[in-house]
Amino acid sequence: MGSTDYKQPLYATRIDLPAETRAQIIGLLNQTLAFTLDLKTQVKQAHWNVKGLDFYQLHELFDELASELEEFVDLVAERVTALGGLALGTARVAAQVSELPEYPFDILDGKDHVVALADRYAIYAKLVRQGIAKTDDLGDADTADLYTEVSRAIDKRLWFLEAHLQASVVASSNGAAGTTEKATAEKTSAKAK
């Protein structure tokens, strides 16, 4: 994962986690903060630039996704500060630390935006699940719970995105995946025989 050259301070707190553990968790949370900020801006890029027949529906969905990510930005940053750290939440830090792929600027169609966002949500979902395991291993049930809360929401949003892409896939009569049009043609052909 990317990192910054900034020396992270560790402020005193009465939270009963050892300083070394808190420092590790703060580093993980700041990494998550960078990914979350990056994902939010990529979702807004899609929100502003989507075109096509599903424009309004996707424009609204993408805005909803970005708003939810903004809540996660706040949740993660406030956990950093609660643990005695400094939340590193600028766009420059996010650009330096996040490993999400750059959002494509050459797409307009709604489906292309959905694919791009689904790809990025999947990467982010994996990062968040790793955060659950790492913070649990470090003995911080509260931060693991925060990651679990985010994970549930991100998985649900990934489902929303993927549902747009799965709509035309059905099982054909031989069990192989095909499109709705192919399955309809096969059924019509079978009835004619």
Side-chain angles (χ1 to χ4, degrees):
M1 304 287 163
S3 65
T4 65
D5 295 330
Y6 184 75
K7 175 80 172 129
Q8 176 66 245
L10 192 61
Y11 299 105
T13 178
R14 289 176 178 79
I15 293 177
D16 63 341
L17 292 170
E20 183 178 316
T21 300
R22 287 189 295 119
Q24 290 177 35
I25 294 165
I26 289 165
L28 181 64
L29 286 164
N30 269 322
Q31 179 185 63
T32 303
L33 181 59
F35 272 73
T36 310
L37 283 163
D38 187 13
L39 182 58
K40 185 195 103 173
T41 62
Q42 292 194 32
V43 172
K44 286 304 279 189
Q45 180 70 22
H47 165 76
W48 295 321
N49 292 291
V50 67
K51 307 278 189 250
L53 293 176
D54 294 325
F55 162 77
Y56 187 76
Q57 171 200 1
L58 293 175
H59 181 75
E60 291 293 312
L61 174 62
F62 297 162
D63 200 38
E64 195 175 302
L65 296 175
S67 294
E68 182 174 55
L69 288 166
E70 182 62 35
E71 291 174 22
F72 297 151
V73 164
D74 215 38
L75 192 65
V76 171
E78 287 177 356
R79 184 64 183 161
V80 168
T81 59
L83 291 172
L86 179 70
L88 304 175
T90 67
R92 290 180 184 192
V93 170
Q96 185 179 1
V97 175
S98 177
E99 294 183 4
L100 291 176
E102 182 62 56
Y103 199 79
F105 294 119
D106 61 345
I107 60 176
L108 296 174
D109 184 65
K111 182 177 180 182
D112 293 336
H113 283 289
V114 171
V115 169
L117 291 178
D119 289 346
R120 284 147 184 82
Y121 263 75
I123 294 167
Y124 183 72
K126 181 178 180 181
L127 172 83
V128 171
R129 271 190 287 286
Q130 290 170 345
I132 295 168
K134 288 176 184 176
T135 54
D136 192 48
D137 289 346
L138 289 167
D140 184 0
D142 294 333
T143 303
D145 186 55
L146 178 151
Y147 275 114
T148 301
E149 177 185 342
V150 172
S151 179
R152 271 194 219 93
I154 293 302
D155 282 353
K156 182 176 181 180
R157 295 311 192 158
L158 182 55
W159 166 51
F160 282 14
L161 292 166
E162 289 178 333
H164 285 85
L165 305 173
Q166 297 165 343
S168 63
V169 177
V170 296
S172 66
S173 59
N174 66 4
T179 64
T180 304
E181 295 81 20
K182 181 179 174 184
T184 303
E186 287 175 358
K187 287 179 185 175
T188 304
S189 175
K191 285 181 183 177
K193 290 179 183 179

